[in-house]
Amino acid sequence: MMNKQVRIIISGGGTGGHIFPAISIANAIRELCPDSEILFVGAEGRMEMQRVPQAGYEIKGLPIMGFDRKNLLKNFKVLYKVWKSQRMAKRIIKTFKPMVAVGVGGYASGPTLNKAADMGIPCLIQEQNSYAGVTNKLLAKKAQKICVAYEGMERFFPADKIMLTGNPVRQDLFDTKLTREEALKSFGLPTNKKTVLIMGGSLGARTLNDSVLQNLELIRKHDDVQFIWQTGKYYYEQMDSIMQSRGFTHDDPSCNIVWTDFLDMRAGYRAADIVVSRAGASSISEMCLLGKPVILVPSPNVAEDHQTKNAMALVDRQAAIYVKDSEAPSRLIRTALDCVEDAALLESLSENIRRMALPNSARIIAQEVLKLCDNRKA
């Protein structure tokens, strides 16, 4: 444990996939160096502006936003905001005087790490995906260290800067003593049935929800299997209304599907024999560490189709099942039923995905950050 005073800026966000790793890295730095001062820099109006203070850290917001690829005229406003964000980032860095700047991807990390590098501050970037994001590719030239979660990232970054660390994940998923039986009971489900967890993230995923709605009779018919379905808060009221109109109710003990807007992921993962998920980097890292069999339905609405590339990195090692987004409504539920009833397949998927796990990522990245602080002092 270090007791010397260090000051670190952590920048990025936009989605939970960027924010959770950033907070995990900050927590690991605090653990190794309790006196450290950590300042986050995020994008105004994005979820990091709430999540970071909830985790106990100070955050400054930049007016940065992404380029509009459909309406090019709107990009004059974007360019002004980039320029303004660069100036604000420079002021924040001058005032806070960080020893190291850490970028986790997302809009804010661009101007922050750019300015930090120009001012001679060592930079570390963390790339969560198997296909590098635009911001991190641009920052790579200026970074001292690049922490990655997948092999083969030399395609995007200088090989001598790369370190394979894995993605930091939410520690509370592993700290829980919850048993499978307790988890199933918390959903009001019996403990003797195979269970499929369908999760579309906190806002939900339209394709996954449509896949359930279009196969309700198939689900009802297979009453030896049960489903936990996270609709996401954005879709919950609509889904709840449709479910009740089709004769499914929350208080029916014979109903083999539970639907909810929000999910305690500790209970969800513990209860599930197989998970259906999008292919975001954080979710994949969690399932690798937990050894969860998974069916991945990559979102087509992400930059450079990186979720499909994340998914294929697992599929190529027989560590996950892949269902294309456009085929999910017709194929997904049938695939989930076939998989969950195949014990040998579940065991093989679990074994193979566990082999891809990289534990202690947050601590390893934190140690690299503190090494850069030491070098800076020297």
Side-chain angles (χ1 to χ4, degrees):
M1 189 180 281
M2 299 169 66
N3 284 315
K4 52 194 156 205
Q5 188 76 43
V6 296
R7 288 182 309 284
I8 295 154
I9 273 183
I10 300 178
S11 183
T15 65
H18 292 310
I19 297 162
F20 292 132
I23 291 169
S24 298
I25 293 166
N27 291 343
I29 292 168
R30 277 266 161 93
E31 213 172 283
L32 291 166
C33 187
D35 293 336
S36 55
E37 282 184 52
I38 298 171
L39 175 68
F40 279 75
V41 180
E44 285 172 2
R46 307 292 294 208
M47 65 192 281
E48 59 264 28
M49 301 308 291
Q50 276 81 48
R51 292 290 172 86
V52 169
Q54 284 166 5
Y57 295 97
E58 187 188 349
I59 186 166
K60 304 274 187 193
L62 302 179
I64 189 86
M65 60 196 295
F67 281 95
D68 191 321
R69 291 171 194 192
K70 290 177 186 158
N71 187 341
L72 295 176
L73 288 174
K74 283 189 180 170
N75 288 324
F76 287 111
K77 185 180 175 186
V78 176
L79 287 168
Y80 169 71
K81 291 199 165 191
V82 169
W83 174 80
K84 192 176 174 189
S85 295
Q86 298 261 18
R87 292 192 58 161
M88 286 173 71
K90 187 175 181 179
R91 205 174 312 134
I92 291 166
I93 292 162
K94 268 187 164 174
T95 307
F96 185 68
K97 299 182 175 64
M99 294 167 176
V100 174
V102 178
V104 295
Y107 300 138
S109 64
T112 308
L113 266 77
N114 250 321
K115 280 295 157 199
D118 291 349
M119 293 162 80
I121 291 153
C123 296
L124 176 147
I125 58 179
Q126 198 253 330
E127 174 56 64
Q128 291 104 28
N129 294 296
S130 64
Y131 192 91
V134 177
T135 304
N136 278 349
K137 279 193 277 193
L138 293 171
L139 292 171
K141 297 179 190 73
K142 298 182 174 186
Q144 272 67 31
K145 184 69 72 177
I146 302 166
C147 297
V148 301
Y150 292 89
E151 288 168 359
M153 297 300 283
E154 298 81 8
R155 291 176 298 157
F156 309 107
F157 303 130
D160 59 332
K161 295 181 179 183
I162 293 173
M163 183 174 183
L164 185 65
T165 59
N167 281 326
V169 299
R170 293 172 282 187
Q171 201 49 48
D172 61 345
L173 295 175
F174 307 94
D175 294 342
T176 180
K177 292 184 171 64
L178 200 66
T179 65
R180 179 178 184 273
E181 287 69 27
E182 288 166 343
L184 285 164
K185 281 177 184 167
S186 74
F187 292 106
L189 291 168
T191 59
N192 61 344
K193 290 184 181 184
K194 290 286 187 187
T195 305
V196 178
L197 167 64
I198 299 175
M199 55 177 200
S202 55
L203 294 177
R206 182 186 290 279
T207 300
L208 301 189
N209 290 344
D210 286 347
S211 302
V212 174
L213 292 182
Q214 289 182 35
N215 290 276
L216 284 173
E217 287 316 307
L218 183 62
I219 288 170
R220 205 196 296 256
K221 204 164 70 180
H222 281 262
D223 61 358
D224 55 331
V225 175
Q226 55 199 6
F227 288 76
I228 299 166
W229 169 31
Q230 182 200 27
T231 65
K233 65 179 180 185
Y234 186 75
Y235 296 102
Y236 178 74
E237 282 182 23
Q238 181 192 5
M239 297 300 117
D240 189 48
S241 161
I242 294 170
M243 290 298 281
Q244 302 210 38
S245 72
R246 303 265 187 98
F248 291 85
T249 59
H250 290 289
D251 50 8
D252 178 0
S254 67
C255 183
N256 65 331
I257 181 166
V258 167
W259 60 101
T260 176
D261 57 346
F262 173 78
L263 200 58
D264 175 351
M265 289 314 305
R266 291 168 301 181
Y269 281 138
R270 284 290 181 279
D273 294 286
I274 193 165
V275 179
V276 174
S277 171
R278 288 304 203 188
S282 287
S283 300
I284 287 179
S285 295
E286 288 169 2
M287 285 177 281
C288 287
L289 287 159
L290 292 164
K292 276 288 158 194
V294 62
I295 299 168
L296 294 170
V297 187
S299 169
N301 311 312
V302 292
E304 288 131 340
D305 196 24
H306 68 245
Q307 284 205 4
T308 299
K309 294 165 181 113
N310 288 349
M312 296 321 290
L314 273 72
V315 172
D316 290 345
R317 297 188 182 196
Q318 287 81 51
I321 305 292
Y322 166 61
V323 173
K324 196 175 177 181
D325 184 86
S326 58
E327 295 171 2
S330 59
R331 279 190 55 216
L332 180 60
I333 298 302
R334 167 60 63 199
T335 302
L337 287 164
D338 290 345
C339 290
V340 82
E341 291 175 330
D342 186 338
L345 175 64
L346 291 182
E347 197 174 324
S348 156
L349 286 170
S350 179
E351 215 171 278
N352 292 341
I353 200 170
R354 215 183 275 278
R355 283 199 191 113
M356 296 187 71
L358 292 161
N360 304 319
S361 301
R363 190 179 179 89
I364 293 164
I365 295 167
Q367 285 167 340
E368 290 304 309
V369 173
L370 294 171
K371 274 185 207 168
L372 289 175
C373 285
D374 279 348
N375 294 347
R376 171 111 170 128
K377 282 183 175 178

